[in-house]
Amino acid sequence: MVTVGVEEEYLLLDSATGLPTAECPRVQAVASALPSVRDGEVTPELLQAQIEIATPVCKTLEQVATELRRLRAAVRAAAAAVGCRVAATGAAPARGGTCTPVSEGERYARMRDRERRLVDEQLITGMHVHVGVPDRAAAVAVVTRLRPWLPVLAAMGANSPLWDGADTGYASWRTLLFGRWPVSGPPPAFTSEADYEDRVHALLRARLITDRGQLYWHARPSERYPTVEVRVLDVQPGPADAVLYAGLVRALVLRALADGREGVPLPQVSGELLAANTWWAARHGLSGSLCDPRDGRQRPAATVVAALVERTEHELARLGDLSVVEAGVDRLLLLGTPAQRQLQAYRAGGVPGVLDLITQDW
């Protein structure tokens, strides 16, 4: 069974104002002391108003769901003990007038000095899916084969329509904010592991990035684990939403590995088309059409989502995940993306209504 793991980032919000609050050190300390939490499962992120959880290596989607429920409950309980709330949203709906301090450590301090306002505005949170692969060369090849489908995942998982208390007009404002970093967005089409390393070494040698942790592509070979890491998704409202993408991403990676073994040519999609399609997905989510990766033409969003499921159907069935993913897609198309749900709450109750939605009990 091919392994899968999930990392999720959350925002910490003041219980009274709903604004980001720098309580990560205290929340992390309380959560890490709980008997249900193991070492290293709850960690800081760049800003002290963010916190991250990481599941153990999982073999089944049922296990992913169980671990996410456990860790989300721990962080929620710790935040309540400290006096703040945990928000599962891709971007802070409101920010206030002061900058959130960075977390402790030389690396984060260096980033604050170097990237300036990008760091100040990094009040965004994502979901990262790790899928086990045989080796580094396979990971690089998989990243290239995943490229055309990453905007579809971004559209499906959009969960950040608000910023500074207003509707941005985008389903995933996080995608736009994160895309401002020097090395971010859709990954290049790598021809080999050597090509990947040459490109990364060139960036490091030129001092355009400070370390490999700043390779913020939407998919990349992990530097810590023998996995491909897909990081295009906004953090999801609940475990059921997250499990859908853990299943889809794992199946996409398996399909890519199979294509490599069968000698299927690498997909030919230009960088400009992929970048524009990513913008389109962030702008519209599933509210209209999407560019179909199969031929580069616009089609109804539901049709393109169905094509993604069809592409991975064999792998999903082999893993026993098909019914879970199909149910998740049906729910998504019925209820709309998390961004659409946030906008419904915003129109009904303004920012307070959104805060109630994104901090509700998972």
Side-chain angles (χ1 to χ4, degrees), residues 274-305:
L274 193 56
N277 198 18
T278 300
W279 177 89
W280 185 275
R283 169 67 176 87
H284 299 286
L286 298 182
S287 64
S289 63
L290 283 175
C291 182
D292 193 326
R294 296 171 297 181
D295 61 7
R297 297 184 180 277
Q298 291 282 342
R299 290 193 171 84
T303 300
V304 180
V305 171

Side-chain angles (χ1 to χ4, degrees), residues 227-257:
T227 65
V228 167
E229 180 185 7
V230 173
R231 12 181 327 112
V232 70
L233 293 152
D234 289 355
V235 71
Q236 293 300 291
D241 305 280
V243 164
L244 165 62
Y245 298 108
L248 274 175
V249 169
R250 178 164 67 166
L252 273 171
V253 170
L254 287 176
R255 179 68 261 164
L257 289 169

